[in-house]
Amino acid sequence: MSWFPFFADLNDKPVLLVGAGEVATRKAESLLAAGAQLRVVARTLAPAFERWLQEGRIAWLGRTFSPAHLDGVFLVTSATGDAAVDADVFAAASARQVFCNTVDSPEHCSFIVPAVVDRGPLQVAISSGATAPVLARYWRQKIEVMLPQHTGALATLAGQWRRQVQARLSGMRARRRFWEHIFSGPVNTLVAQGQLEAASQFLAAQLEASASTGTPVNKAETMTHTASMSPDIADPAISASGHDAPETFLTSRRPAEQRAAEQPPVTPAPIPALHTGDLVVVDAGSSDPGQLTLHALRALQAADLVVHDPALADGIRQQIRKDAEKLALPDGNGAGTAPAHPVLHRWSTPMDLAQPHTFGSLIPAPAGVPCATHAASHHAESAHAPHAAASALHTQRLVDEACWGKRVVWLRGGCHDARINHLATAHTPAQAAPRLVMLLQQAGVPWRHVPGVSAAPATPWRNTGESTAAMSTAVPAVHVPSVAKTQRPQRLAA
Ligand SMILES: C[C@@]1(CC(=O)O)C2=NC(=C\c3[nH]c(c(CCC(=O)O)c3CC(=O)O)Cc3[nH]c(c(CC(=O)O)c3CCC(=O)O)/C=C3\N/C(=C\2)[C@@H](CCC(=O)O)[C@]3(C)CC(=O)O)/[C@H]1CCC(=O)O
Ligand SMILES: NC(=O)c1ccc[n+]([C@@H]2O[C@H](COP(=O)([O-])OP(=O)(O)OC[C@H]3O[C@@H](n4cnc5c(N)ncnc54)[C@H](O)[C@@H]3O)[C@@H](O)[C@H]2O)c1
């Protein structure tokens, strides 16, 4: 059984607790903190319940459970340790469609309670799906240490500005980038320093700067600036300004607050290049997601579009940001043809395929011109290589999407040559690198390559001295094409 995670509003909602011992005390504390109206049925009350009763914070309905106690109740927890009572409570709750949690038997639960790291309003909830509660608790304690205390204040500040940001910045992608910058840059630092007013002013200035640069701009300056910095700062998906390194597990063991307090006060600066895209070629290495490098994980989490091998391992696929667009490449072994994709329908013409080095594909197809899919098969028939045509389409699409401001990841299974521009002539999508590099350079799209870690060197008896750690932390080179902004294709009106 898989459990659906969600956060419920229990404020002023009647909630029933059957049993008022040690475990019920823990459940009651979080229910009261959420503003629930707590009703209790129990033979005896633990000290905390006695106190809450005196303070008028709970109602004690009786010593023996009866289904009538569920009237008007939003949800119920049974924590008596008595299996017969658990079964009665669950049956009565199910009959009334009331959510039920019994602390002794997951089979009598229609909801379970996670371990929680609370940085209100931000919360991290961890569940083992009722298999190992102590494992959930173990990770809660680990995450407690990692998650800075000021994260809650940062979330509160974001909540105060969210509507204004929605009103000023059009497009979810622009807003997401804006917020990513806010959460990893100077505003984060100011909140960590307790300078909430300054943080608010800085956010306002950043919003003004972003709103006034509403058209795509060249990212080359930013990339040139950041390329010489540490890999974390240089990662454009994480910090566009280079002001402040994001939280990482590797950069420092000191608490985030301490690090932030040591930093000099920051002054507002415009956000550079919020609207431009880039392309990251990520090699997964093995099919084990545990072997993905930090760079690979970050790229997959930041991507708007991930184009991947058809046979990509599920575990790797799950590391892609949930709302990113995913596009499987056609099978490179021959039979594949380009899938009908609305973007390709709209953009491409046979001319584009005949002259793949131009950006003609950004010109909408005139009425009566065959769509890209037809164009691909036409091209394929003449070339006797359907997958080569599909490859050309996908390569073009990678570049087009990055050109139009998306953060594109080309996710490849296995380990490839680290110098992707030195691969052999492209015949399949997986070999399309040289053409891709040329197109990227022509378009002025920054790109970089994140090499994979193969499973083999991680096996101790086959390790010949080149450590996995050294490979996994290798700094990916950032390539910044030097083309003038005016040479880049213009974005079309929708
Ligand atoms: C996370 C947490 C939240 C909370 O309770 O607030 C929570 N259990 C916690 C601690 C904990 N639980 C137990 C021990 C003693 C060690 C041990 O005996 O194993 C400890 C450790 C301790 O108390 O320190 C024993 C235990 N728990 C359950 C059973 C019955 C069974 O599994 O059959 C038994 C066996 C009783 C026995 O053997 O007699 C069942 C449940 N416990 C759940 C949640 C739900 C599943 C959540 C998930 O998906 O993982 C679920 C299904 C129902 C529910 O309670 O909602 C909280 C950590 C809070 C924190 O510290 O952050
Ligand atoms: N889910 C979890 O996280 C978790 C963790 C540890 C233990 N447990 C289990 O939770 C159960 C409760 O543990 P506890 O330490 O809170 O016990 P406890 O003895 O401290 O509390 C039991 C409570 O239930 C009441 N009660 C018992 N039988 C009743 C009945 N028939 N009608 C009405 N009230 C009744 C008691 O008066 C008391 O208030 C145990 O069975 C334990 O194994 C669950």
Side-chain angles (χ1 to χ4, degrees):
M1 172 173 181
S2 81
W3 301 84
F4 178 73
F6 73 110
F7 291 85
D9 174 10
L10 293 184
N11 200 35
D12 280 336
K13 302 273 193 319
V15 171
L16 183 68
L17 254 180
V18 184
E22 200 182 318
V23 173
T25 300
R26 182 169 77 225
K27 308 282 183 190
E29 278 166 353
S30 49
L31 288 165
L32 287 171
Q37 287 176 13
L38 212 51
R39 302 171 182 181
V40 176
V41 171
R43 282 194 196 132
T44 55
L45 299 184
F49 284 92
E50 297 275 13
R51 197 175 62 249
W52 291 325
L53 189 63
Q54 282 168 15
E55 292 167 358
R57 297 182 68 192
I58 61 169
W60 189 9
L61 303 187
R63 292 176 191 276
T64 307
F65 171 74
S66 130
H69 290 137
L70 288 169
D71 288 349
V73 159
F74 198 73
L75 49 87
V76 59
T77 286
S78 181
T80 61
D82 183 327
V85 176
D86 281 350
D88 282 354
V89 172
F90 183 65
S94 301
R96 285 171 166 71
Q97 306 222 1
V98 169
F99 272 117
C100 179
N101 166 241
T102 59
V103 300
D104 266 307
S105 98
E107 308 79 54
H108 292 115
C109 288
S110 51
F111 79 93
I112 54 175
V113 180
V116 174
V117 182
D118 191 355
R119 299 284 182 276
L122 186 127
Q123 300 186 70
V124 180
I126 307 150
S127 166
S128 69
T131 59
V134 176
L135 185 62
R137 180 191 179 146
Y138 173 83
W139 274 102
R140 192 258 297 159
Q141 289 168 331
K142 292 215 156 229
I143 295 169
E144 280 285 0
V145 180
M146 294 172 185
L147 196 64
Q149 290 294 333
H150 74 272
T151 308
L154 192 59
T156 302
L157 180 70
Q160 289 159 355
W161 281 90
R162 190 146 172 245
R163 295 285 164 244
Q164 285 185 65
V165 171
Q166 274 171 341
R168 296 293 307 277
L169 300 183
S170 65
M172 271 216 293
R173 194 147 28 106
R175 292 196 288 272
R176 188 166 66 229
R177 285 198 195 186
F178 174 81
W179 286 119
E180 283 170 358
H181 178 80
I182 293 298
F183 297 142
S184 64
V187 171
N188 175 49
T189 307
L190 287 166
V191 174
Q193 290 171 337
Q195 301 186 53
L196 296 182
E197 190 49 45
S200 199
Q201 285 169 11
F202 202 110
L203 194 151
Q206 302 283 44
L207 179 57
E208 199 55 49
S210 298
S212 58
T213 55
T215 50
V217 288
N218 199 331
K219 201 172 188 175
E221 288 159 40
T222 310
M223 299 292 287
T224 309
H225 177 57
T226 54
S228 59
M229 299 184 178
S230 80
D232 289 320
I233 297 175
D235 190 336
I238 295 180
S239 175
S241 73
H243 277 296
D244 187 27
E247 304 299 335
T248 71
F249 303 152
L250 299 179
T251 48
S252 172
R253 292 180 190 280
R254 285 173 296 131
E257 283 76 15
Q258 192 186 333
R259 273 182 278 141
E262 289 166 6
Q263 289 165 10
V266 287
T267 46
I271 300 175
L274 274 179
H275 302 279
T276 52
D278 53 22
L279 184 133
V280 187
V281 181
V282 174
D283 290 336
S286 72
S287 59
D288 176 3
Q291 296 276 6
L292 284 173
T293 67
L294 274 178
H295 290 299
L297 274 176
R298 286 181 183 141
L300 292 179
Q301 280 299 307
D304 299 308
L305 167 69
V306 178
V307 180
H308 62 81
D309 292 350
L312 189 72
D314 272 356
I316 303 281
R317 212 181 130 84
Q318 280 161 14
Q319 306 308 313
I320 301 170
R321 187 165 55 81
K322 291 283 171 286
D323 55 342
E325 188 183 354
K326 299 169 202 78
L327 181 65
L329 288 165
D331 189 348
N333 294 325
T337 52
H341 190 284
V343 176
L344 294 174
H345 272 256
R346 207 172 65 234
W347 292 352
S348 299
T349 69
M351 182 69 83
D352 306 331
L353 291 163
Q355 299 175 348
H357 302 163
T358 71
F359 279 87
S361 65
L362 294 176
I363 302 164
V369 172
C371 73
T373 312
H374 297 146
S377 39
H378 172 79
H379 181 85
E381 277 161 26
S382 59
H384 301 290
H387 54 280
S391 163
L393 275 175
H394 282 93
T395 306
Q396 183 72 68
R397 170 135 191 241
L398 291 175
V399 180
D400 287 356
E401 297 273 22
C403 244
W404 283 23
K406 280 194 184 170
R407 287 167 303 188
V408 181
V409 164
W410 177 17
L411 177 57
R412 311 191 294 184
C415 273
H416 297 255
D417 190 330
R419 302 154 301 146
I420 67 166
N421 44 346
H422 290 160
L423 287 178
T425 313
H427 289 301
T428 69
Q431 294 172 331
R435 182 170 171 274
L436 174 64
V437 170
M438 184 169 58
L439 291 178
L440 289 166
Q441 279 167 352
Q442 286 177 347
V445 171
W447 62 274
R448 67 203 163 95
H449 179 215
V450 177
V453 178
S454 78
T459 313
W461 58 85
R462 296 186 61 184
N463 193 336
T464 52
E466 189 180 22
S467 81
T468 304
M471 289 179 70
S472 64
T473 53
V475 180
V478 178
H479 303 266
V480 185
S482 54
V483 293
K485 185 175 160 187
T486 48
Q487 284 177 255
R488 304 187 61 203
Q490 295 300 303
R491 181 162 195 157
L492 295 170

